[in-house]
């Protein structure tokens, strides 16, 4: 079953998920599509997010994909159920895996979630957490300035530090919180800065690791694992709707996808 697995995101953030998937499943073929031209999704209307997501999905269906991974929290919150209902292939989101990781981590049962405006207002993480453990208390904080920083490649400057510090003020002011979910797949690129601002007093979680484990389990369950497991490791194909320069730099410097070619596509 050497058909590819598709990974979609609103921009470059989903590379955090692609990296983990490729690490855990090096024999599988992956196609990544980041809609960097129309990023960020977090401040767009639900109808726009739905329309853009389906455009990416319909494009990738032409590659005869065997599974879809929605590596965008905003799209997961808004469109995941619809995708699961209408597509003839397994669809995996990033919210439930992230919620499970937080449940395992927290001791105080106080969990903060940072994400885009759409993800936080949807309360998708809150619902996922409370479904598992009704005793969990949550604090959701929208961080709309994070994605533009990351998409520009600004991950370490004094300006970036100031933006992160100001955005996380509600979490810094609550001493009971012991776990933070990065509710946007862009945010792990700022994780070192986030942990510095939080002074390592809070466990910071990305859903990428748990999503990789869920994809692996789902492939086995649906008998979709690559049959040629003795073959060579696969090189992910990376597609974008926007400019290539930042994506090329980020994929090489942060994720070491040095052999992956990046192509621009139109939807």
């Amino acid at each position: 079953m050497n058909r590819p697995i598709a990974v979609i995101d609103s921009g470059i953030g989903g590379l955090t998920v692609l990296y983990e998937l490729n690490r855990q499943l090096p024999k599988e073929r992956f196609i990544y599509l980041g809609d960097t031209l129309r990023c960020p999704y977090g401040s767009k209307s639900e109808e726009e997010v739905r329309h853009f997501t389906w455009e990416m999905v319909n494009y990738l269906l032409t590659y005869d994909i065997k599974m879809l991974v929605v590596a965008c929290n905003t799209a997961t919150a808004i469109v995941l159920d619809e995708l699961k209902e209408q597509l003839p292939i397994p669809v995996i989101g990033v919210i439930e895996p992230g919620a499970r990781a937080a449940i395992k981590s927290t001791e105080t049962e106080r969990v903060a979630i940072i994400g885009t405006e759409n993800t936080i207002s949807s309360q998708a993480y809150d619902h996922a957490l409370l479904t598992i453990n009704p005793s969990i208390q949550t604090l959701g904080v929208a961080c709309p300035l994070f994605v533009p920083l990351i998409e520009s490649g600004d991950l370490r400057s004094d300006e970036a530090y100031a933006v992160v510090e100001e955005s996380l003020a509600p979490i810094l002011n609550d001493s009971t919180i012991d776990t933070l979910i990065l509710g946007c797949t862009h945010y792990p690129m700022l994780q070192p800065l986030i942990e510095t601002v939080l002074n390592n007093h809070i466990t910071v979680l990305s859903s990428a690791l748990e999503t990789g484990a869920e994809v692996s389990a789902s492939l086995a369950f649906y008998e979709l694992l690559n049959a040629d497991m003795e073959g060579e490791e696969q090189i992910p194909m990376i597609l974008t709707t926007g400019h290539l320069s930042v994506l090329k730099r980020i994929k090489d410097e942060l994720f070491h996808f040095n052999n992956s070619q990046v192509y621009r596509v139109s939807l």
Side-chain angles (χ1 to χ4, degrees), residues 105 114 143 146 150 155-156 160-169 171-172 177-182 186-207:
S105 168
I114 57 173
C143 300
F146 281 15
I150 294 161
L155 307 177
R156 301 180 182 88
Y161 184 94
V163 167
V164 171
E165 185 176 43
E166 183 176 354
S167 299
L168 298 184
I171 299 168
L172 288 164
I177 291 170
D178 71 346
T179 301
L180 170 64
I181 299 174
L182 302 180
H186 281 75
Y187 294 0
M189 297 185 201
L190 280 176
Q191 187 164 342
L193 203 52
I194 290 169
E195 289 176 337
T196 298
V197 169
L198 295 175
N199 200 23
N200 295 314
H201 290 153
I202 295 174
T203 301
V204 179
L205 298 175
S206 162
S207 60

Side-chain angles (χ1 to χ4, degrees), residues 17 20 43 52 69 77 111 123 146 153 156 177 195 207 216 232:
V17 175
E20 191 57 42
S43 57
F52 296 163
V69 180
V111 177
Q123 296 190 316
F146 281 15
R156 301 180 182 88
I177 291 170
E195 289 176 337
S207 60
S216 181
E232 296 181 356

Side-chain angles (χ1 to χ4, degrees), residues 12 15 238 240 243-251 262:
I12 62 177
L15 290 175
I238 299 177
T240 179
H243 297 297
L244 301 178
S245 56
V246 172
L247 182 56
K248 284 181 176 178
R249 179 167 63 83
I250 293 292
K251 73 149 179 101
V262 181

Side-chain angles (χ1 to χ4, degrees), residues 11-219:
I12 62 177
L15 290 175
T16 59
V17 175
L18 178 65
Y19 173 82
E20 191 57 42
L21 290 173
N22 192 65
R23 187 186 70 81
Q24 293 188 32
L25 297 160
K27 305 297 184 182
E28 295 290 343
R29 293 170 57 206
F30 292 100
I31 301 175
Y32 178 87
L33 175 54
D35 191 12
T36 51
L37 183 66
R38 299 180 294 199
C39 185
Y41 281 11
S43 57
K44 291 181 168 58
S45 70
E46 289 192 10
E47 188 51 43
E48 284 179 306
V49 172
R50 183 172 289 106
H51 178 70
F52 296 163
T53 302
W54 273 109
E55 282 192 330
M56 286 194 287
V57 171
N58 288 328
Y59 179 88
L60 289 168
L61 287 174
T62 64
Y63 285 88
D64 191 28
I65 59 176
K66 64 182 179 182
M67 178 178 285
L68 173 67
V69 180
V70 184
C72 173
N73 285 268
T74 301
T76 298
I78 293 172
V79 201
L80 184 70
D81 289 343
E82 185 178 313
L83 293 169
K84 286 183 173 181
E85 290 173 5
Q86 298 188 30
L87 292 177
I89 56 174
V91 181
I92 307 294
V94 289
I95 288 177
E96 289 187 2
R100 284 195 292 272
I103 294 292
K104 293 176 187 175
S105 168
T106 184
E107 295 181 359
T108 65
E109 296 189 329
R110 284 281 289 155
V111 177
I113 306 113
I114 57 173
T116 65
E117 293 167 334
N118 268 331
T119 298
I120 297 303
S121 65
S122 75
Q123 296 190 316
Y125 272 102
D126 306 70
H127 295 318
L129 288 161
L130 291 170
T131 298
I132 302 169
N133 181 352
S135 298
I136 292 291
Q137 293 181 297
T138 61
L139 172 65
V141 179
C143 300
L145 298 180
F146 281 15
V147 171
L149 269 181
I150 294 161
E151 289 285 329
S152 71
D154 183 5
L155 307 177
R156 301 180 182 88
S157 70
D158 291 342
E159 178 190 0
Y161 184 94
V163 167
V164 171
E165 185 176 43
E166 183 176 354
S167 299
L168 298 184
I171 299 168
L172 288 164
N173 292 333
D174 189 333
S175 61
T176 65
I177 291 170
D178 71 346
T179 301
L180 170 64
I181 299 174
L182 302 180
C184 174
T185 48
H186 281 75
Y187 294 0
M189 297 185 201
L190 280 176
Q191 187 164 342
L193 203 52
I194 290 169
E195 289 176 337
T196 298
V197 169
L198 295 175
N199 200 23
N200 295 314
H201 290 153
I202 295 174
T203 301
V204 179
L205 298 175
S206 162
S207 60
L209 185 66
E210 295 288 327
T211 301
E214 181 150 334
V215 168
S216 181
S218 295
L219 288 171

